[in-house]
Amino acid sequence: HYGRGSKKMELRESWRSGPVDEGRVMGGENAQDSAAAVVGQAHDPTRPILCLDVRGDDVVTGSADHSLIVFDAVTGKRRRTLYSKTYGHTDWVTCCAYLPDGRIVSGGSDAAICVWDASAVRCMTLKDHRASVSRLQVDAASLVGLSSSYDCSLIVWDFQRCSQIHALSGHRKPVTTFSWHNSLVASGGRDGEIRCWDINTSSCVSKLTLHDGKQVLSMKLL
């Protein structure tokens, strides 16, 4: 990003790739030391953690290193890493959430929604969004979820079938935030609009322009 009067900042080459390949790290003369380092390693320390969710003693975090890591909150030990050359995100992981059945859902800057297996390192990748996923929420009592995106839309998901129920379209610029309660969703975006939706019918029931048309970054239904 560039600000007024700022100098151009080059991205590290490592930011364009995924997590370090553990097989390569653990080779060589100091294989035992390298293996211990990998086991104790969390996310790439040069890249920020962008999201997290908690379920019981488990914590899942998503990072700009393209991976998610599940930790035991009591012991601090890593349970598993959700990333491989076959499955997972190809860009920053921007949001994540636990489903009631123990699976993990994540969204990323690659426009993908990944629905991860509860135990294995594999996922179903949903590509209905056309730009970076900005936010993700799952209903605690069902397998229904909602995501927002820089493609100016929100999508209501059936995570039982891993398919889209319907899209909520109307924002003219990226949707940056939303708040969801029962069948009512309020969304805000870079167009300065707040839209209220009935997710059962996908209809926009009201629209407001606040904050002098400046982008809406956060909101909460009370």
Side-chain angles (χ1 to χ4, degrees):
H1 298 283
Y2 300 90
R4 182 176 299 175
S6 63
K7 295 181 180 179
K8 182 177 179 181
M9 183 182 73
E10 296 292 339
L11 285 178
R12 297 175 185 229
E13 182 59 33
S14 63
W15 281 44
R16 298 185 173 90
S17 61
V20 174
D21 179 71
E22 296 188 5
R24 177 166 52 82
V25 169
M26 290 188 289
E29 296 180 357
N30 299 319
Q32 288 184 334
D33 292 341
S34 298
V38 168
V39 170
Q41 178 186 0
H43 289 290
D44 183 333
T46 68
R47 312 187 200 185
I49 293 173
L50 302 175
C51 57
L52 65 83
D53 196 22
V54 179
R55 183 175 185 264
D57 290 339
D58 285 349
V59 178
V60 59
T61 55
S63 168
D65 68 6
H66 309 180
S67 75
L68 297 103
I69 295 180
V70 180
F71 295 93
D72 184 315
V74 176
T75 65
K77 292 183 178 179
R78 180 173 60 173
R79 293 190 185 276
R80 59 187 179 128
T81 299
L82 302 180
Y83 176 89
S84 74
K85 298 302 180 184
T86 306
Y87 296 104
H89 291 281
T90 59
D91 209 328
W92 294 13
V93 181
T94 55
C95 46
C96 60
Y98 275 101
L99 288 167
D101 60 8
R103 290 178 296 160
I104 292 169
V105 184
S106 58
S109 294
D110 53 4
I113 297 285
C114 293
V115 186
W116 294 92
D117 188 279
S119 56
V121 183
R122 61 172 179 261
C123 65
M124 175 78 73
T125 301
L126 310 176
K127 298 286 287 185
D128 298 48
H129 280 301
R130 302 183 308 280
S132 178
V133 181
S134 56
R135 180 164 157 69
L136 176 67
Q137 185 177 338
V138 173
D139 179 47
S142 70
L143 293 175
V144 174
L146 183 65
S147 60
S148 60
S149 170
Y150 278 62
D151 65 7
C152 308
S153 76
L154 300 97
I155 292 180
V156 184
W157 299 97
D158 177 353
F159 287 125
Q160 176 73 45
R161 296 179 174 83
C162 291
S163 62
Q164 177 185 149
I165 298 175
H166 46 236
L168 309 179
S169 301
H171 280 283
R172 295 172 289 109
K173 292 184 178 180
V175 182
T176 51
T177 185
F178 65 81
S179 183
W180 176 18
H181 180 68
N182 294 331
S183 63
L184 179 64
V185 171
S187 61
R190 288 190 172 178
D191 53 8
E193 292 182 351
I194 294 175
R195 287 176 174 260
C196 293
W197 311 84
D198 182 339
I199 65 169
N200 292 323
T201 64
S202 73
S203 59
C204 180
V205 296
S206 65
K207 180 178 72 172
L208 299 170
T209 300
L210 304 173
H211 308 294
D212 297 324
K214 301 294 194 302
Q215 63 179 323
V216 181
L217 298 176
S218 180
M219 60 169 49
K220 179 70 174 178
L221 284 173
L222 301 176

